[in-house]
């Protein structure tokens, strides 16, 4: 049971054309691009980066043309805090806890239990993305998609840590450029 991020290989239960389903498809593609997984897992482990939220900041700019300031990021995080704290975080903790649990306690159903917690975590993150899309309704437009994607992501990452390295900013540039390229193709 390796420590993997919460992105399944299949799509959502939403109908095709639904924005939440499109955002999840974007999430899958972005996650599998280059060094994105490695960078995001590092941030998740170092300063509890919510990768689904980070993806949403790119979507907010690239598809909804919404530039988010630090206060917007804080408000959006507050909007989903109860959901994350009640559903996603406990499912993730339980899934990760299986790695340190005595195998005799878990027994032969370890993979099945792990998969169950992972499924709850993933469905929870899909719902989180839908909630965040609802939160975006009526928000202001961005002037420039590429700079706004970078800015939205940077605002979020800087809220998580005041000790970012030059490498972190380089990695941020890489994942923002990756997101921009995918979103430009989606819009074409």
């Amino acid at each position: 049971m390796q420590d993997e991020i919460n992105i399944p290989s299949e799509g959502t239960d939403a109908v095709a054309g639904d924005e939440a389903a499109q955002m999840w498809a974007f999430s899958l593609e972005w996650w599998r691009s280059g060094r994105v997984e490695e960078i995001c897992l590092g941030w998740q482990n170092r300063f509890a980066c919510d990768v689904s939220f980070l993806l949403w900041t790119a979507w907010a700019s690239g598809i909804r043309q919404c530039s988010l300031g630090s206060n917007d990021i804080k408000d959006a995080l507050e909007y989903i805090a109860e959901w994350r704290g009640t559903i996603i975080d406990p499912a993730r903790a339980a899934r990760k806890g299986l790695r340190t649990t005595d195998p005799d306690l878990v027994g032969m159903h370890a993979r099945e239990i792990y998969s169950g917690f992972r499924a709850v975590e993933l469905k929870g993150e899909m719902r989180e993305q839908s909630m965040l899309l609802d939160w975006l309704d009526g928000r202001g437009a961005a002037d420039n998609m590429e700079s706004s994607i970078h800015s939205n992501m940077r605002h979020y990452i800087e809220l998580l840590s005041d000790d970012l390295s030059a490498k972190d900013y380089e990695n941020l540039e890489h994942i923002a450029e990756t997101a921009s390229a995918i979103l430009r193709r989606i819009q074409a």
Side-chain angles (χ1 to χ4, degrees):
M1 291 177 283
Q2 58 188 140
D3 186 21
E4 52 204 38
I5 196 71
N6 12 337
I7 297 185
S9 58
E10 65 276 351
T12 68
D13 295 333
V15 291
D18 178 82
E19 186 179 15
Q22 292 170 350
M23 185 174 163
W24 192 255
F26 159 69
S27 299
L28 294 173
E29 184 174 349
W30 181 80
W31 180 253
R32 294 179 181 128
S33 299
R35 299 179 7 249
V36 170
E37 178 180 1
E38 172 192 344
I39 292 166
C40 291
L41 282 176
W43 287 349
Q44 187 177 60
N45 293 331
R46 281 181 45 220
F47 40 80
C49 177
D50 176 348
V51 175
S52 184
F53 189 90
L54 183 65
L55 281 160
W56 168 78
T57 66
W59 185 269
S61 176
I63 300 299
R64 292 281 194 99
Q65 288 79 43
C66 187
S67 183
L68 304 169
S70 294
N71 288 334
D72 295 318
I73 298 289
K74 289 176 188 175
D75 289 348
L77 287 167
E78 186 176 312
Y79 183 74
I80 60 166
E82 183 177 358
W83 180 255
R84 269 205 89 67
T86 304
I87 304 298
I88 298 169
D89 294 340
R92 178 175 292 148
R95 177 180 58 81
K96 287 182 172 187
L98 285 173
R99 286 190 313 243
T100 58
T101 302
D102 181 349
D104 292 334
L105 290 176
V106 180
M108 60 190 234
H109 300 288
R111 288 218 180 278
E112 183 180 330
I113 294 168
Y114 181 91
S115 294
F117 284 128
R118 185 169 185 262
V120 170
E121 183 182 357
L122 292 168
K123 289 293 185 181
E125 287 188 334
M126 287 178 193
R127 175 65 186 125
E128 174 187 84
Q129 287 185 349
S130 292
M131 292 170 68
L132 288 165
L133 291 174
D134 291 343
W135 183 89
L136 271 179
D137 289 341
R139 305 285 170 181
D143 294 331
N144 177 297
M145 180 180 84
E146 278 80 14
S147 65
S148 184
I149 287 173
H150 185 273
S151 176
N152 285 359
M153 291 179 143
R154 182 179 46 81
H155 285 275
Y156 173 55
I157 294 299
E158 288 176 345
L159 282 175
L160 297 176
S161 175
D162 56 1
D163 190 30
L164 296 171
S165 67
K167 183 68 172 172
D168 288 321
Y169 284 104
E170 181 182 309
N171 287 338
L172 176 62
E173 186 67 31
H174 172 75
I175 66 171
E177 287 174 7
T178 302
S180 293
I182 295 167
L183 290 168
R184 275 193 305 274
R185 197 179 66 253
I186 288 171
Q187 289 179 320

